[in-house]
Amino acid sequence: MFTNYQFLRIVAGISCVKLLFLPCYYSTDFEVHRNWLAITHSLPINQWYVDTTSEWTLDYPPLFAWFEWLLAKVAVFFDPAMLHVESLNYSSSMTVLFQRLSVIVTDLLFAWSARLCCLEVGRRYGVGLVEPVFVLLVCNCGLLLVDHIHFQYNGFLMGFLFLTYARMLQGRNVEATLWFSVLLCLKHIYLYMAPALLVYMLRSHCLHRLPGAGKVLWKVSIKAMVQLAVPAVAVAAAAFGPFVMLGQTGQVLSRLFPFKRGLSHAYWAPNFWALYNAADKFLAVAGRRSGWYTPRNVTTSSTAGLVQELEHEVLPPVLPAATFIITALSMMPVLVWLWRNPYKPWCAVRASVVCTFCSYMFAWHVHEKAILLVILPLSLLCVQEQFEARTFLLTSIVGHFSLFPLLFTAHETPLKISLWLLYTLLCWRMLSLHWYPMDHHRLFHHGLPNIPLTSLPQTLYLLGLLPLLLLQVLSLPSLPFLPLLLTSLYCGLGLSWAFISYYWQLLHLDSDRSKTA
């Protein structure tokens, strides 16, 4: 039994660890959120999505703007100067204290919703799994690195995602729809998993297959559809309604979907497009040196470290519409699989992971931090099927490693490496105890050395991260972006393998083993 005392002890412990990161380096995202505090506090609502005093304009959905507005009501007691729109790059000690504490406090929502999901894991697969899975979630090193050092509010947002999962697992679909609608109006990146949840709600809550031979007939429950539509429409109307009335719908949407930013982020997220970009670079260099091909003249460097539009030299250019189509097509098999497995909320969780992975691999302008949207839900699944444990372990190790370029200062280097290694050891320990209870110390499989829950090739691949880490630490003044390029490519290969293998094994999961999922 996972008691309240155990819950509070773990949350208090990890919160104390987060407090130790208060004086650490923070990224430009710190100034981004400070500026949003100032915009929502100092300007009228009709200026929120128009103001360009700072280059860090408001580009999250309206509910997140109101969240910043609420935070500003507290921030004024710490340092009112941080709430002036003209206070660019303002970072007084009280401003840093407030923003760091705001992330720690709002993380409590994630802890609570994670506990609800873990209780559902325990109810289905054994109460002894509740605490280990909860520890894997709240101690996730990616959240520690990105939220509490780099600076963002991913834990707060994940709280709404896990609350959606919890209500769905409890059979409370209307409430799940409400919380997911709130999440989308807080940060639209969660559209990545929306197709899976939409298909699940439609098939399991609104449609019923009529018995009988011959042609398949479906009965649509209008009442059920209205039950789901009301909270979704109400949340969207509350969030976007004021801006529609102000005639700023187009302005808001242009901020939310800035397609001019280019195919890839400054540091290429390790996905399919990173491999595509690298192939283009290789062909361009090979073409120049061999003389067999003259690449197109381009003016944009894909490794310049700036948010800009990337132009390919040899391979065909990629348009936003093409990435949308490819992403949608890649999701189709798992959506069909989910349609054929109705009334199984754990199947919906799995499908949401795959849809998110598809978006991470193929969508337009993906950020490297988006891998957390895959890793954290996988934490709930890694104790249910062994192939999911293997996928979680590989994705966690490689995905968290791919976040290292976000923390490039010398002082944070030992910290990020230590957090990564400690969390990796925690995952190995807990999963080995679960899947190999009588042999969890083994480092050999069929007489060959390997990391627990990984094959020999995977072990060799993971060990290859160590020289790459050394290259990151040493850096090369003459080739400053080479470590970024190699990190993106090497991690892209590992995450691509994790994506393909998980997708394949999920679609071939024995229906008898998942009949109660």
Side-chain angles (χ1 to χ4, degrees), residues 20-55:
L20 298 176
F21 302 149
L22 288 179
C24 286
Y25 151 86
Y26 48 81
S27 71
T28 53
D29 280 335
F30 179 90
E31 169 61 15
V32 169
H33 287 281
R34 187 218 56 80
N35 185 55
W36 293 357
L37 287 172
I39 288 174
T40 55
H41 179 80
S42 303
L43 300 180
I45 188 174
N46 63 350
Q47 294 296 311
W48 287 5
Y49 286 93
V50 177
D51 178 73
T52 56
T53 304
S54 168
E55 63 179 310

Side-chain angles (χ1 to χ4, degrees), residues 76-143:
V76 70
F77 295 104
F78 283 75
D79 184 354
M82 80 171 85
L83 301 176
H84 298 160
V85 176
E86 298 78 14
S87 299
L88 301 181
N89 299 311
Y90 187 79
S91 57
S92 68
S93 58
M94 292 304 290
T95 300
V96 174
L97 177 63
F98 169 74
Q99 298 219 145
R100 292 292 197 193
L101 289 178
S102 69
V103 178
I104 295 173
V105 172
T106 55
D107 264 4
L108 296 177
L109 174 63
F110 173 62
W112 176 63
S113 59
R115 184 194 185 193
L116 294 178
C117 288
C118 292
L119 289 174
E120 292 303 310
V121 172
R123 185 172 65 85
R124 175 66 67 184
Y125 297 98
V127 294
L129 296 175
V130 176
E131 185 173 4
V133 175
F134 182 74
V135 169
L136 288 180
L137 284 168
V138 298
C139 295
N140 180 273
C141 76
L143 285 180

